[in-house]
Amino acid sequence: DAGITQSPRHKVTETGTPVTLRCHQTENHRYMYWYRQDPGHGLRLIHYSYGVKDTDKGEVSDGYSVSRSKTEDFLLTLESATSSQTSVYFCAITTPGQNNEQFFGPGTRLTVL
Amino acid sequence: DAKTTQPPSMDCAEGRAANLPCNHSTISGNEYVYWYRQIHSQGPQYIIHGLKNNETNEMASLIITEDRKSSTLILPHATLRDTAVYYCIVRVAEETSGSRLTFGEGTQLTVNP
């Protein structure tokens, strides 16, 4: 599992409240990613990071912000959650080397009422 | 990244080979074909990737046509645990910004006993 954990694993919140999801990795990987997945659809990239304090937007970044103050943690924040942000959120890291494959965390199921 | 087209669903009998097709007619010369799968509610899992030669690993084989406009993922002896959504993704493997993945809808493979 490349040492990736996500917290919380499940969360129910109300519209308008701030929410922060945490992705933690133990193997010092440089690249980290946040995706969201809605029912019946593939994953869509929200934001990604290519180093401490280095982040960039993905295809669905509106309403989300990220921070990476240390290598092991990549935080995703919904400043004011909306019902359209109800989704499953996956964190991923890239392993260096020939395959350049991504390893994904177990996911966080977020429900915004 | 080039767009891919996959059938939405396929069925396969347990013990038989599962052949999952993918069209990527706009693929560029420096783009690789990657396959991931997602077992229900889990994060996607890397399977295999290739550029133009056929590839095989312990999980599957990847056959890429000579013109590189399509490919087939082969699971030689499908088991019930291979029931999952399979994603075919085309991307440049050596991006300096990391290996962002663009997921389509994938193919839901159901292996029947």
Side-chain angles (χ1 to χ4, degrees):
Chain A
D1 63 359
I4 306 170
T5 57
Q6 293 185 229
S7 59
R9 294 292 313 280
H10 302 272
K11 186 171 182 66
V12 179
T13 190
E14 293 187 350
T15 298
T17 60
V19 176
T20 295
L21 309 182
R22 180 184 184 230
C23 177
H24 179 78
Q25 54 131 336
T26 59
E27 299 183 10
N28 208 34
H29 296 293
R30 178 182 175 190
Y31 293 104
M32 299 184 74
Y33 311 80
W34 276 108
Y35 293 87
R36 63 175 286 176
Q37 184 174 32
D38 300 310
H41 295 278
L43 282 70
R44 291 182 293 170
L45 182 66
I46 306 172
H47 281 279
Y48 65 99
S49 171
Y50 44 96
V52 173
K53 298 191 187 325
D54 291 324
T55 65
D56 207 345
K57 296 179 180 180
E59 61 179 309
V60 290
S61 59
D62 287 348
Y64 302 95
S65 62
V66 290
S67 65
R68 193 167 178 201
S69 59
K70 47 186 178 178
T71 300
E72 57 266 36
D73 288 326
F74 191 31
L75 304 181
L76 177 70
T77 298
L78 292 66
E79 300 290 349
S80 177
T82 67
S83 59
S84 65
Q85 294 175 311
T86 292
S87 190
V88 179
Y89 292 84
F90 288 99
C91 174
I93 59 93
T94 296
T95 57
Q98 193 172 5
N99 286 347
N100 222 8
E101 68 181 273
Q102 284 193 11
F103 285 98
F104 287 81
T108 294
R109 184 173 297 275
L110 176 67
T111 302
V112 183
L113 302 175
Chain B
D1 292 340
K3 183 177 179 179
T4 62
T5 304
Q6 299 177 253
S9 63
M10 294 183 64
D11 286 282
C12 176
E14 188 177 19
R16 304 297 294 269
N19 298 287
L20 292 90
C22 179
N23 286 323
H24 31 79
S25 58
T26 59
I27 191 170
S28 300
N30 62 344
E31 289 181 312
Y32 288 70
V33 180
Y34 278 75
W35 284 84
Y36 282 73
R37 74 178 182 183
Q38 186 175 24
I39 297 170
H40 181 63
S41 299
Q42 299 179 19
Q45 175 192 22
Y46 167 84
I47 301 173
I48 198 168
H49 79 288
L51 183 62
K52 55 184 178 180
N53 297 321
N54 298 337
E55 302 288 345
T56 295
N57 63 19
E58 66 278 4
M59 290 182 68
S61 295
L62 174 61
I63 308 298
I64 302 174
T65 58
E66 191 169 344
D67 62 8
R68 303 208 323 122
K69 293 185 177 181
S70 64
S71 60
T72 301
L73 178 74
I74 301 172
L75 308 178
H77 305 287
T79 71
L80 298 179
R81 290 179 295 178
D82 292 323
T83 292
V85 178
Y86 287 77
Y87 295 100
C88 170
I89 299 167
V90 174
R91 58 168 299 276
V92 177
E94 301 300 329
E95 289 179 10
T96 55
S97 57
S99 55
R100 288 172 291 171
L101 300 177
T102 301
F103 288 82
E105 304 299 313
T107 296
Q108 170 66 58
L109 175 68
T110 302
V111 181
N112 300 305

